[in-house]
Amino acid sequence: MKMKLALGCTLCLACFSGHAEVNFSGFASINAGKVLSGSGVPQFGINDPIFLADYPIVSVYDEDISFEPETLMGLQFSADLTEGLSVTGQIVARGADDFDAKFEWAYLSYEINENWTFQAGKKRLPLFYYSDFYDVGYAYIWMRAPADNYTWQIFNYNGINMLYSGSIGDWSLSGNIYAGKEDDDDNKLLSEFFFQEPTREIWKDILGGVIQTSNDWLEVRLTHMRYTNQRYRSGEPVLWEGSDERDGKFYGLAVNADWGNFFILSELNRLDLDGNLDTKMLTLGYRFDNITPFVSYADFEGEGDDAESHETTSFGVRWDFHSSAAFKIQYDEVEDNSVGLAVAGDSKAITIGIDMVF
Amino acid sequence: MKKLFLLTLLCSAYSCLAVDVIVNPANTSTLDENEIKQIFIGKSKSFSDGSKALPITQADGSTVTDEFNEKVLNKSSSQLKAYWSKLVFTGKGTPPKEAADDAEVLKLVASNPNLIGFVSSGAADSSVKVVKSF
């Protein structure tokens, strides 16, 4: 058996080396945290304070120190099949999912020419600025992308993507147009947190575009996406004004300015889905060599009486103590302003972690 | 001893070390600082004559690499790593291939007209062309 396996491996390596150059890379975040104080959501039977650090993955901290909610590891392999064709897979194991490793990305990429690339397969839905590298903590300043903004329940799609990259003078210009569908049998955020019953979430006829331009210090990103939503709770279709589907439209603007040491990150988004859900975020940071303190504010505002409404003020520090690793510490103060559509109540929490890339 | 210390201090403050950007002698394209930067951060993929541009960097943490990153790319090594990790894990780009030292960069650039690299000042020989010094 062992022999066979060994032989299999050798063959495998032999054929890889014969046809493609395979590159492995990865990222990991080892995070821990706890709630310092909070209200819980007594109207929904949650009497102890909780801190929902991350919506889609349902990273919940309570009063005991825990490592599971946001610890994760990702491994990416990319095989270059030459002549512009490559195939990439990314497997992520999360503490929030008992380290059950899953393919988050699996796609082929074909470089048509210097400016255009065609991609097809399973990819991350690029709604917000940080959406597609959401899992790679090393790539951004905070412990996590601001939770009040990143409240999406669907974060992957299966489909096609056309990627453009070019420049006009000193400005680089990139963008993409994508189309696809996602059918999530057992949606984590809706099933485990909001409805507490098995919920199937479908986003179909997804069509979206992103335009991004940047120069030395300024970066602007504009996006629009539309989709049709269907939902089944415990197998029964959810009806919205008598219809089993509804259309959503997403609009986003992100502006980042970086003057070398001082930088500003901002996002402004609207999801029009039976009314407007508005999110915004502003972060200021300053680099003192390898130590970067920051302050951040994020807000979610629904439309109507007692609509979903929550905001978070955060303070933190990122310390690049190693060439491939950063230590972070962050304090978050959440205010949940709605009663009927409360999410996780008010809370004050502290989280620390180390992000790595390899 | 004191003098040596002062010299080290001056060096780190004013960056005594210089970096030469090199291409193959057959490459006749003009290159300014911004074009070099765009090629090394993956935003530009060709030289001014339209031929394909492939950047070669040196080992992470080596003096010449730090020097190049700070002077030309205006980024610290961890900022640059964060920048590339965002592109690599979203399928939008691949960082430049890494050569072990000046000698390997010279060898590679001398044998391929599409390559562009950097070496410590003074390391370049006649097998390559220095297009810019920083």
Side-chain angles (χ1 to χ4, degrees):
Chain A
M1 185 59 202
K2 259 190 187 153
M3 248 321 237
K4 232 187 215 169
L5 196 68
L7 192 67
C9 280
T10 320
L11 283 175
C12 200
L13 284 175
C15 70
F16 265 130
S17 60
H19 297 287
E21 186 189 322
V22 183
N23 281 306
F24 286 92
S25 48
F27 51 88
S29 294
I30 311 297
N31 296 345
K34 67 169 288 198
V35 176
L36 302 171
S37 65
S39 65
V41 202
Q43 62 270 38
F44 299 147
I46 302 170
N47 295 311
D48 293 324
I50 55 166
F51 170 50
L52 180 63
D54 176 311
Y55 284 65
I57 300 155
V58 193
S59 301
V60 181
Y61 291 97
D62 56 25
E63 287 173 297
D64 297 321
I65 292 175
S66 52
F67 281 82
E68 290 83 12
E70 293 186 286
T71 292
L72 62 84
M73 185 171 285
L75 189 63
Q76 173 165 302
F77 62 88
S78 188
D80 183 355
L81 307 174
T82 74
E83 287 163 35
L85 186 63
S86 65
V87 57
T88 305
Q90 193 185 106
I91 298 165
V92 181
R94 304 170 194 283
D97 291 333
D98 299 322
F99 293 104
D100 204 2
K102 274 189 211 139
F103 267 97
E104 292 283 2
W105 302 68
Y107 63 93
L108 72 81
S109 211
Y110 180 68
E111 227 179 282
I112 300 164
N113 58 34
E114 191 191 318
N115 300 115
W116 291 94
T117 303
F118 170 79
Q119 299 178 319
K122 181 183 170 99
K123 296 199 79 209
R124 189 56 54 91
L125 197 59
L127 278 186
F128 304 90
Y129 183 91
Y130 298 90
S131 291
D132 47 2
F133 54 105
Y134 191 74
D135 289 331
V136 190
Y138 186 85
Y140 48 78
I141 180 83
W142 327 270
M143 287 292 299
R144 66 200 71 87
D148 299 284
N149 288 196
Y150 291 70
T151 58
W152 47 349
Q153 53 270 57
I154 289 295
F155 57 108
N156 287 324
Y157 73 99
N158 292 281
I160 53 171
N161 182 36
M162 276 296 274
L163 203 61
Y164 174 83
S165 160
S167 60
I168 305 171
D170 285 348
W171 290 82
S172 70
L173 181 69
S174 63
N176 59 308
I177 300 169
Y178 58 95
K181 182 186 176 178
E182 176 74 343
D183 184 340
D184 194 4
D185 271 350
D186 190 10
N187 186 261
K188 196 168 163 83
L189 179 65
L190 301 177
S191 306
E192 283 180 26
F193 201 83
F194 281 116
F195 304 136
Q196 309 204 341
E197 63 178 323
T199 304
R200 176 178 168 199
E201 177 79 350
I202 300 168
W203 286 21
K204 60 177 191 181
D205 302 327
I206 294 172
L207 180 64
V210 180
I211 294 180
Q212 201 160 339
T213 181
S214 62
N215 68 4
D216 253 6
W217 63 278
L218 186 67
E219 178 177 39
V220 180
R221 178 187 191 266
L222 274 169
T223 184
H224 176 56
M225 189 275 287
R226 50 182 59 215
Y227 69 105
T228 299
N229 181 206
Q230 283 178 305
R231 184 176 290 169
Y232 295 85
R233 285 172 66 172
S234 299
E236 289 299 313
V238 172
L239 300 181
W240 295 283
E241 291 168 4
S243 168
D244 67 352
E245 52 180 52
R246 58 177 176 173
D247 292 331
K249 294 187 192 83
F250 182 89
Y251 308 86
L253 166 70
V255 179
N256 299 327
D258 193 330
W259 291 274
N261 291 323
F262 177 59
F263 60 89
I264 299 178
L265 312 172
S266 70
E267 268 198 78
L268 203 58
N269 306 293
R270 166 168 284 180
L271 174 62
D272 174 1
L273 182 72
D274 302 338
N276 293 327
L277 305 168
D278 290 332
T279 52
K280 54 181 178 287
M281 177 280 280
L282 183 69
T283 299
L284 308 180
Y286 194 92
R287 296 185 193 95
F288 293 98
D289 197 16
N290 56 3
I291 295 187
T292 313
F294 62 89
V295 51
S296 182
Y297 172 79
D299 177 64
F300 180 107
E301 211 65 57
E303 209 177 13
D305 285 341
D306 197 35
E308 183 177 342
S309 160
H310 37 87
E311 57 199 300
T312 306
T313 309
S314 314
F315 303 92
V317 176
R318 173 188 171 126
W319 173 32
D320 287 284
F321 70 99
H322 181 275
S323 66
S324 298
F327 169 83
K328 293 176 188 169
I329 180 162
Q330 185 169 329
Y331 169 79
D332 291 280
E333 199 167 318
V334 182
E335 278 182 55
D336 197 341
N337 304 314
S338 173
V339 177
L341 289 172
V343 178
D346 296 346
S347 65
K348 291 173 182 169
I350 192 131
T351 39
I352 60 168
I354 292 177
D355 294 312
M356 289 159 274
V357 286
F358 49 91
Chain B
M1 192 61 199
K2 247 190 191 158
K3 249 186 198 162
L4 190 70
F5 176 71
L6 196 68
L7 195 69
T8 321
L9 207 70
L10 279 173
C11 271
S12 59
Y14 297 105
S15 295
C16 292
L17 264 161
V19 180
D20 287 340
V21 174
I22 55 166
V23 295
N24 189 281
N27 188 335
T28 54
S29 300
T30 53
L31 280 159
D32 65 22
E33 184 170 348
N34 189 51
E35 282 165 321
I36 294 170
K37 181 179 172 179
Q38 298 301 320
I39 290 171
F40 274 89
I41 60 173
K43 286 186 173 171
S44 168
K45 288 162 193 157
S46 59
F47 291 112
S48 60
D49 67 359
S51 63
K52 198 171 181 175
L54 294 170
I56 295 281
T57 186
Q58 291 205 37
D60 196 25
S62 78
T63 325
V64 65
T65 310
D66 284 348
E67 215 41 40
F68 180 79
N69 292 347
E70 265 157 49
K71 281 186 175 163
V72 186
L73 308 184
N74 301 319
K75 283 185 161 76
S76 71
S77 122
S78 48
Q79 272 176 278
L80 198 62
K81 197 163 260 182
Y83 170 82
W84 279 115
S85 56
K86 154 176 148 181
L87 298 180
V88 166
F89 297 116
T90 58
K92 288 182 186 156
T94 330
K97 292 237 157 53
E98 221 174 75
D101 49 27
D102 285 347
E104 195 185 351
V105 176
L106 289 173
K107 206 176 108 193
L108 290 167
V109 171
S111 61
N112 186 340
N114 292 116
L115 297 185
I116 173 168
F118 57 84
V119 292
S120 320
S121 182
D125 55 28
S126 61
S127 67
V128 297
K129 186 165 82 175
V130 176
V131 285
K132 203 100 187 162
S133 296
F134 295 94

Short mmCIF file of all heavy atoms in Angstrom, two decimals, chain A residues 26 76 90 107 114 119 129 132-133 138 170 172 214 216 287 320 323-324, chain B residues 34 37 43 45-46 60 78-79 81-82 85-86 88-92 97:
data_model
loop_
_atom_site.label_atom_id
_atom_site.label_comp_id
_atom_site.label_asym_id
_atom_site.label_seq_id
_atom_site.Cartn_x
_atom_site.Cartn_y
_atom_site.Cartn_z
N GLY A 26 0.36 30.65 0.55
CA GLY A 26 -0.70 30.54 1.54
C GLY A 26 -0.72 31.69 2.50
O GLY A 26 0.11 32.60 2.45
N GLN A 76 -2.99 28.06 -1.37
CA GLN A 76 -3.30 28.27 -2.78
C GLN A 76 -2.29 27.58 -3.66
O GLN A 76 -1.09 27.62 -3.38
CB GLN A 76 -3.32 29.77 -3.07
CG GLN A 76 -3.47 30.08 -4.56
CD GLN A 76 -3.85 31.53 -4.83
OE1 GLN A 76 -4.87 32.01 -4.35
NE2 GLN A 76 -3.02 32.23 -5.57
N GLN A 90 -7.88 27.51 -4.23
CA GLN A 90 -7.56 28.03 -2.89
C GLN A 90 -8.45 27.32 -1.87
O GLN A 90 -9.67 27.32 -1.99
CB GLN A 90 -7.80 29.53 -2.84
CG GLN A 90 -7.20 30.18 -1.62
CD GLN A 90 -7.55 31.67 -1.53
OE1 GLN A 90 -8.38 32.05 -0.71
NE2 GLN A 90 -6.95 32.49 -2.37
N TYR A 107 -10.54 28.18 -10.22
CA TYR A 107 -10.83 28.82 -11.49
C TYR A 107 -9.69 28.68 -12.49
O TYR A 107 -8.55 28.46 -12.10
CB TYR A 107 -11.17 30.30 -11.29
CG TYR A 107 -10.03 31.12 -10.71
CD1 TYR A 107 -9.14 31.80 -11.54
CD2 TYR A 107 -9.84 31.18 -9.33
CE1 TYR A 107 -8.09 32.54 -11.00
CE2 TYR A 107 -8.81 31.91 -8.79
CZ TYR A 107 -7.94 32.58 -9.63
OH TYR A 107 -6.89 33.30 -9.10
N GLU A 114 -2.05 41.49 -23.26
CA GLU A 114 -1.45 42.21 -22.14
C GLU A 114 -2.51 42.85 -21.22
O GLU A 114 -2.31 43.00 -20.03
CB GLU A 114 -0.54 43.30 -22.72
CG GLU A 114 0.35 43.95 -21.69
CD GLU A 114 1.03 45.17 -22.25
OE1 GLU A 114 1.49 45.11 -23.41
OE2 GLU A 114 1.08 46.18 -21.55
N GLN A 119 -11.50 34.64 -16.97
CA GLN A 119 -11.46 33.66 -15.89
C GLN A 119 -12.82 32.98 -15.78
O GLN A 119 -13.85 33.60 -16.04
CB GLN A 119 -11.13 34.35 -14.55
CG GLN A 119 -9.75 35.02 -14.58
CD GLN A 119 -9.42 35.75 -13.30
OE1 GLN A 119 -10.27 36.41 -12.72
NE2 GLN A 119 -8.17 35.66 -12.86
N TYR A 129 -14.61 46.65 -1.43
CA TYR A 129 -13.18 46.79 -1.75
C TYR A 129 -12.36 45.61 -1.24
O TYR A 129 -11.49 45.10 -1.93
CB TYR A 129 -12.63 48.10 -1.14
CG TYR A 129 -11.19 48.35 -1.51
CD1 TYR A 129 -10.86 49.08 -2.64
CD2 TYR A 129 -10.15 47.83 -0.74
CE1 TYR A 129 -9.54 49.30 -2.98
CE2 TYR A 129 -8.83 48.03 -1.08
CZ TYR A 129 -8.53 48.77 -2.19
OH TYR A 129 -7.22 48.97 -2.55
N ASP A 132 -12.58 40.45 -2.05
CA ASP A 132 -11.89 39.28 -2.61
C ASP A 132 -10.61 38.90 -1.90
O ASP A 132 -10.09 37.82 -2.12
CB ASP A 132 -11.78 39.29 -4.15
CG ASP A 132 -11.31 40.58 -4.74
OD1 ASP A 132 -11.02 41.48 -3.96
OD2 ASP A 132 -11.24 40.66 -5.98
N PHE A 133 -10.12 39.74 -0.98
CA PHE A 133 -9.00 39.27 -0.16
C PHE A 133 -9.33 39.36 1.33
O PHE A 133 -8.47 39.52 2.19
CB PHE A 133 -7.69 39.98 -0.50
CG PHE A 133 -7.74 41.49 -0.46
CD1 PHE A 133 -7.16 42.18 0.60
CD2 PHE A 133 -8.31 42.21 -1.49
CE1 PHE A 133 -7.17 43.56 0.65
CE2 PHE A 133 -8.33 43.60 -1.45
CZ PHE A 133 -7.77 44.28 -0.38
N TYR A 138 -3.22 39.61 6.40
CA TYR A 138 -1.92 40.27 6.22
C TYR A 138 -2.02 41.43 5.24
O TYR A 138 -1.25 42.39 5.32
CB TYR A 138 -0.89 39.24 5.72
CG TYR A 138 0.51 39.82 5.65
CD1 TYR A 138 1.32 39.82 6.78
CD2 TYR A 138 0.99 40.40 4.48
CE1 TYR A 138 2.59 40.38 6.74
CE2 TYR A 138 2.26 40.97 4.44
CZ TYR A 138 3.04 40.96 5.57
OH TYR A 138 4.29 41.52 5.53
N ASP A 170 -0.08 58.59 -15.85
CA ASP A 170 0.37 58.15 -14.55
C ASP A 170 -0.70 57.36 -13.78
O ASP A 170 -0.47 56.92 -12.67
CB ASP A 170 0.80 59.35 -13.70
CG ASP A 170 2.15 59.89 -14.17
OD1 ASP A 170 2.81 59.19 -14.97
OD2 ASP A 170 2.53 61.00 -13.75
N SER A 172 -3.11 54.18 -13.29
CA SER A 172 -3.36 52.82 -13.75
C SER A 172 -4.87 52.59 -13.66
O SER A 172 -5.56 53.15 -12.83
CB SER A 172 -2.59 51.81 -12.91
OG SER A 172 -3.14 51.75 -11.63
N SER A 214 -5.89 54.29 -10.02
CA SER A 214 -5.01 54.77 -8.94
C SER A 214 -3.79 55.45 -9.52
O SER A 214 -3.37 55.17 -10.63
CB SER A 214 -4.58 53.60 -8.05
OG SER A 214 -3.86 52.67 -8.79
N ASP A 216 -0.01 57.48 -7.70
CA ASP A 216 0.92 57.29 -6.61
C ASP A 216 0.31 57.29 -5.22
O ASP A 216 0.73 56.56 -4.34
CB ASP A 216 1.98 58.41 -6.66
CG ASP A 216 3.29 57.87 -7.14
OD1 ASP A 216 3.31 56.69 -7.53
OD2 ASP A 216 4.28 58.62 -7.13
N ARG A 287 1.74 55.38 9.80
CA ARG A 287 2.84 54.42 9.92
C ARG A 287 4.04 55.04 10.62
O ARG A 287 4.63 55.98 10.12
CB ARG A 287 3.30 53.95 8.53
CG ARG A 287 2.25 53.19 7.77
CD ARG A 287 2.80 52.64 6.45
NE ARG A 287 1.69 52.19 5.63
CZ ARG A 287 1.09 52.91 4.68
NH1 ARG A 287 1.53 54.12 4.40
NH2 ARG A 287 0.07 52.42 4.02
N ASP A 320 4.36 45.20 12.17
CA ASP A 320 5.03 44.29 11.24
C ASP A 320 6.34 43.85 11.87
O ASP A 320 7.40 44.37 11.56
CB ASP A 320 5.25 44.97 9.89
CG ASP A 320 3.96 45.11 9.13
OD1 ASP A 320 3.48 44.11 8.57
OD2 ASP A 320 3.39 46.23 9.10
N SER A 323 9.25 39.76 8.55
CA SER A 323 9.07 40.09 7.14
C SER A 323 7.83 39.42 6.52
O SER A 323 7.36 39.82 5.47
CB SER A 323 10.32 39.70 6.35
OG SER A 323 10.47 38.31 6.37
N SER A 324 7.28 38.40 7.16
CA SER A 324 6.09 37.74 6.61
C SER A 324 4.95 37.63 7.62
O SER A 324 4.03 36.85 7.42
CB SER A 324 6.43 36.33 6.15
OG SER A 324 7.39 36.36 5.14
N ASN B 34 9.06 56.21 -13.33
CA ASN B 34 7.69 55.73 -13.18
C ASN B 34 7.44 54.44 -13.95
O ASN B 34 6.79 53.53 -13.47
CB ASN B 34 6.70 56.82 -13.62
CG ASN B 34 5.28 56.44 -13.27
OD1 ASN B 34 4.99 56.07 -12.13
ND2 ASN B 34 4.39 56.48 -14.25
N LYS B 37 8.92 51.59 -12.08
CA LYS B 37 8.06 51.28 -10.94
C LYS B 37 6.82 50.47 -11.38
O LYS B 37 6.49 49.45 -10.78
CB LYS B 37 7.62 52.60 -10.27
CG LYS B 37 6.76 52.39 -9.06
CD LYS B 37 6.37 53.70 -8.42
CE LYS B 37 5.35 53.43 -7.33
NZ LYS B 37 4.93 54.64 -6.65
N LYS B 43 1.89 46.66 -12.81
CA LYS B 43 0.86 47.46 -13.47
C LYS B 43 1.16 47.69 -14.94
O LYS B 43 0.29 48.06 -15.70
CB LYS B 43 0.66 48.78 -12.74
CG LYS B 43 -0.09 48.56 -11.43
CD LYS B 43 -0.45 49.85 -10.73
CE LYS B 43 -1.34 49.56 -9.53
NZ LYS B 43 -1.55 50.74 -8.71
N LYS B 45 3.13 45.81 -18.31
CA LYS B 45 3.69 44.52 -18.70
C LYS B 45 4.54 44.60 -19.97
O LYS B 45 4.90 43.58 -20.53
CB LYS B 45 2.57 43.50 -18.88
CG LYS B 45 1.98 43.09 -17.54
CD LYS B 45 0.62 42.44 -17.72
CE LYS B 45 -0.10 42.31 -16.38
NZ LYS B 45 -1.54 42.20 -16.55
N SER B 46 4.80 45.83 -20.45
CA SER B 46 5.64 45.92 -21.65
C SER B 46 6.56 47.13 -21.60
O SER B 46 6.32 48.09 -20.88
CB SER B 46 4.75 45.97 -22.90
OG SER B 46 3.90 47.07 -22.82
N ASP B 60 14.24 38.64 -0.73
CA ASP B 60 13.56 39.45 0.25
C ASP B 60 14.51 39.70 1.43
O ASP B 60 15.12 38.77 1.93
CB ASP B 60 12.34 38.65 0.71
CG ASP B 60 11.36 39.51 1.43
OD1 ASP B 60 11.35 40.72 1.18
OD2 ASP B 60 10.59 38.97 2.24
N SER B 78 7.39 45.10 4.02
CA SER B 78 6.10 44.52 4.43
C SER B 78 4.92 45.14 3.69
O SER B 78 3.94 44.46 3.39
CB SER B 78 5.91 44.58 5.95
OG SER B 78 6.20 45.84 6.43
N GLN B 79 5.03 46.43 3.35
CA GLN B 79 3.96 47.05 2.54
C GLN B 79 3.87 46.37 1.17
O GLN B 79 2.79 46.13 0.64
CB GLN B 79 4.24 48.54 2.31
CG GLN B 79 3.71 49.44 3.39
CD GLN B 79 4.15 50.87 3.09
OE1 GLN B 79 5.27 51.26 3.40
NE2 GLN B 79 3.27 51.64 2.49
N LYS B 81 4.86 43.35 0.46
CA LYS B 81 4.36 41.98 0.62
C LYS B 81 2.83 41.99 0.78
O LYS B 81 2.13 41.13 0.24
CB LYS B 81 5.03 41.32 1.83
CG LYS B 81 4.88 39.83 1.82
CD LYS B 81 5.85 39.17 2.76
CE LYS B 81 7.04 38.62 2.01
NZ LYS B 81 7.98 37.92 2.87
N ALA B 82 2.32 42.97 1.51
CA ALA B 82 0.87 43.09 1.67
C ALA B 82 0.22 43.38 0.32
O ALA B 82 -0.81 42.80 -0.04
CB ALA B 82 0.52 44.19 2.68
N SER B 85 0.29 40.17 -1.73
CA SER B 85 -0.59 39.10 -1.24
C SER B 85 -2.03 39.39 -1.64
O SER B 85 -2.80 38.48 -1.95
CB SER B 85 -0.44 38.87 0.26
OG SER B 85 -0.67 40.04 0.97
N LYS B 86 -2.40 40.67 -1.70
CA LYS B 86 -3.73 41.04 -2.14
C LYS B 86 -3.95 40.64 -3.61
O LYS B 86 -5.02 40.17 -3.98
CB LYS B 86 -3.88 42.55 -1.91
CG LYS B 86 -4.81 43.31 -2.75
CD LYS B 86 -4.82 44.75 -2.25
CE LYS B 86 -5.05 45.73 -3.37
NZ LYS B 86 -5.03 47.13 -2.90
N VAL B 88 -2.03 38.25 -5.39
CA VAL B 88 -1.79 36.82 -5.59
C VAL B 88 -3.03 36.00 -5.19
O VAL B 88 -3.46 35.12 -5.93
CB VAL B 88 -0.58 36.35 -4.75
CG1 VAL B 88 -0.51 34.83 -4.67
CG2 VAL B 88 0.71 36.89 -5.35
N PHE B 89 -3.62 36.34 -4.03
CA PHE B 89 -4.73 35.52 -3.55
C PHE B 89 -6.07 35.91 -4.16
O PHE B 89 -7.12 35.41 -3.74
CB PHE B 89 -4.76 35.54 -2.01
CG PHE B 89 -3.52 34.93 -1.41
CD1 PHE B 89 -2.65 35.69 -0.65
CD2 PHE B 89 -3.22 33.60 -1.63
CE1 PHE B 89 -1.49 35.14 -0.13
CE2 PHE B 89 -2.07 33.02 -1.12
CZ PHE B 89 -1.20 33.79 -0.36
N THR B 90 -6.07 36.84 -5.11
CA THR B 90 -7.30 37.17 -5.82
C THR B 90 -7.14 36.93 -7.32
O THR B 90 -8.00 37.32 -8.10
CB THR B 90 -7.69 38.65 -5.59
OG1 THR B 90 -6.62 39.48 -6.03
CG2 THR B 90 -7.96 38.94 -4.13
N GLY B 91 -6.05 36.31 -7.71
CA GLY B 91 -5.85 35.97 -9.11
C GLY B 91 -5.60 37.15 -10.02
O GLY B 91 -5.85 37.09 -11.22
N LYS B 92 -5.12 38.28 -9.45
CA LYS B 92 -4.93 39.48 -10.26
C LYS B 92 -3.49 39.77 -10.60
O LYS B 92 -3.20 40.71 -11.33
CB LYS B 92 -5.53 40.69 -9.55
CG LYS B 92 -7.05 40.66 -9.56
CD LYS B 92 -7.59 41.90 -8.88
CE LYS B 92 -9.09 41.83 -8.73
NZ LYS B 92 -9.54 42.68 -7.63
N LYS B 97 9.72 37.26 -10.31
CA LYS B 97 10.55 36.11 -9.91
C LYS B 97 11.77 36.64 -9.17
O LYS B 97 12.23 37.75 -9.41
CB LYS B 97 10.98 35.33 -11.14
CG LYS B 97 9.82 34.62 -11.82
CD LYS B 97 10.09 33.13 -11.93
CE LYS B 97 8.86 32.28 -12.06
NZ LYS B 97 7.94 32.60 -13.12
#
